[in-house]
Amino acid sequence: MEDQRKAFTVFMACLGGILTGSKAIVRATSLFVMGLIGLLAETAITSEDDADSEDGDLTGDYNFRTRKFDNGTDPYGWYEEDL
């Protein structure tokens, strides 16, 4: 009976060490994955970046609000004559 108690105590000590190690591995892996997701989200190209491009038509009046040339009828835009 005494041997069974010692064996059970040793088993529980080993199990506790395994669980502690598993927790550390899971925590380190989750921190790595969260950091990787954050890095990928930072470097994502959004459609807003395309909206600021100056690949538009180069005729018309320059709209300082949109930073593009247009026909001069944007009610919220401002043009050279507004300066």
Side-chain angles (χ1 to χ4, degrees), residues 24-77:
I25 290 171
V26 167
R27 183 167 190 256
T29 304
S30 64
L31 287 174
F32 174 75
V33 169
M34 288 187 326
L36 185 62
I37 289 171
L39 180 66
L40 291 175
E42 270 184 20
T43 59
I45 298 174
T46 62
S47 61
E48 259 184 272
D49 295 337
D50 294 337
D52 289 338
S53 67
E54 296 182 16
D55 296 338
D57 189 19
L58 296 180
T59 60
D61 296 326
Y62 184 74
N63 187 341
F64 287 95
R65 182 180 69 86
T66 61
R67 299 184 193 124
K68 294 181 181 179
F69 288 92
D70 61 17
N71 60 2
T73 59
D74 183 5
Y76 299 108

